[in-house]
Amino acid sequence: MTSDIAGESSIVWVERAQRGEAEAFQVLARAFLRPAYAVALSVVGRPEDAEDIAQDAIVTALGRIATLRQNERFSAWLMTIVRNRSKNLLDQRRRREGRGVAEDDAPPVAPPRTENIGLRERLLAALETLPPAQREVVLLHDLEGWTHAEIANSLGTSEGMSRQHLFHARRALRRRIQE
Amino acid sequence: MTDPIDIAPVDLTPLDPSRDEPRWERMIASVVQRALTEARRLTVARQLAAWARPVLAIAATLAIAAWTGAALTPTGATATAPTSVMTQWAYEGQAPEAATIFETLGGDHGE
């Protein structure tokens, strides 16, 4: 949930962050780092890249929070930053691959820290087969616990469309995981 | 009608980056520190920009006023200039007193 954080409306925390309160920065970073990661992951498909993008996007958004005019749009604004950075990374990756640079030449990716490597990799592979909007909805809903209203606000779509995406994403994921 | 409740969610927790809690907490702390630094840097930059605008406006106004003043009063300024006064004396054949010459030249009368 992002509309209320630590017993306060997210708008209140945004206002406090605009006044430079360190506690508000802490609360907002804690509330939005995971959703930012989920959105980045839905675009770039690699958890390590998604973590970097999410962190940089949060730093940018909180660093410039004093310039935000519509405080209730903080979440949508942040997710736009995340998507733009994710797309930039994809473009860079495509250019690099277009120049014939082998994947082995790319910076090394840290190995996953979980004991559940097999399932994690299968999930990532299954997610990659979904359309981007379905990936974003299923990650925000099923990993982050966002409501359809929150997802619709973030994606700039309707709640009905969010439900549709979730339905199709779950069905496709389940089918591919079981293959 | 497609209802998401019809299909149970797939367990996505293997993708949850916060399962490694100490690492996640370090990440949050780092993000907060970087964001606070960035916000303070931008605040200082905005304050400087806010100061710079009126200072530049005043400087521009003074420059325009000085230029306009110089352009509008060349005759008066030239008329009191020592060169102009002495040229006038020579032209009219005047022979001013020494004190007047010193005064015109801005001298201190030898005091």
Side-chain angles (χ1 to χ4, degrees):
Chain A
M1 285 287 285
T2 57
S3 50
D4 282 318
I5 309 165
E8 290 274 17
S9 156
S10 62
I11 296 173
V12 171
W13 288 113
V14 170
E15 287 169 357
R16 291 178 63 177
Q18 286 173 328
R19 293 196 293 270
E21 291 184 26
E23 185 195 0
F25 275 61
Q26 172 86 18
V27 167
L28 289 172
R30 190 175 292 281
F32 285 101
L33 188 56
R34 272 178 45 142
Y37 161 84
V39 170
L41 183 62
S42 75
V43 180
V44 298
R46 294 180 186 169
E48 294 76 15
D49 288 341
E51 282 184 5
D52 290 344
I53 289 167
Q55 291 178 71
D56 288 346
I58 294 266
V59 169
T60 300
L62 289 179
R64 297 179 188 168
I65 200 164
T67 65
L68 183 64
R69 293 289 165 259
Q70 294 175 284
N71 292 356
E72 69 281 5
R73 302 278 303 153
F74 174 75
S75 167
W77 180 55
L78 169 64
M79 296 312 159
T80 300
I81 295 171
V82 172
R83 278 185 215 103
N84 288 340
R85 288 185 177 227
S86 302
K87 286 170 186 165
N88 287 344
L89 186 105
L90 277 189
D91 288 343
Q92 286 170 11
R93 197 187 286 169
R94 286 190 192 114
R95 277 199 297 274
R96 197 171 56 220
E97 288 165 359
R99 285 202 303 265
V101 176
E103 201 64 27
D104 293 345
D105 294 338
V109 172
R113 291 175 181 76
T114 72
E115 64 287 346
N116 219 353
I117 290 171
L119 179 56
R120 184 174 185 262
E121 298 310 318
R122 269 165 43 216
L123 278 173
L124 287 170
L127 277 170
E128 197 151 349
T129 65
L130 301 180
Q134 288 184 20
R135 281 200 296 262
E136 189 167 332
V137 169
V138 76
L139 284 168
L140 285 175
H141 191 281
D142 289 349
L143 185 60
E144 295 307 313
W146 278 26
T147 66
H148 287 292
E150 289 168 334
I151 294 169
N153 178 46
S154 165
L155 270 175
T157 185
S158 66
E159 290 184 43
M161 188 56 72
S162 174
R163 288 177 200 281
Q164 288 278 339
H165 283 320
L166 183 64
F167 173 83
H168 291 296
R170 280 180 176 175
R171 188 172 61 182
L173 277 182
R174 187 158 292 284
R175 191 181 299 143
R176 292 195 173 96
I177 294 290
Q178 287 168 349
E179 279 173 358
Chain B
M1 180 67 188
T2 53
D3 188 341
I5 296 168
D6 291 342
I7 299 177
V10 172
D11 179 14
L12 297 175
T13 51
L15 301 177
D16 182 353
S18 62
R19 284 181 311 152
D20 185 346
E21 203 175 331
R23 179 173 167 275
W24 185 250
E25 289 301 320
R26 283 196 304 275
M27 198 183 291
I28 289 175
S30 162
V31 163
V32 170
Q33 196 53 53
R34 285 170 59 200
L36 280 168
T37 304
E38 178 73 356
R40 284 169 190 149
R41 188 183 67 79
L42 290 175
T43 301
V44 169
R46 270 195 304 275
Q47 282 172 347
L48 284 175
W51 274 99
R53 274 191 291 271
V55 165
L56 282 173
I58 290 168
T61 306
L62 287 175
I64 290 169
W67 178 81
T68 308
L72 292 178
T73 59
T75 310
T78 308
T80 57
T83 313
S84 177
V85 172
M86 285 190 288
T87 304
Q88 188 69 19
W89 290 337
Y91 182 75
E92 294 175 358
Q94 292 183 37
E97 293 178 7
T100 309
I101 294 170
F102 277 122
E103 191 177 337
T104 303
L105 291 172
D108 56 4
H109 305 262
E111 293 170 2

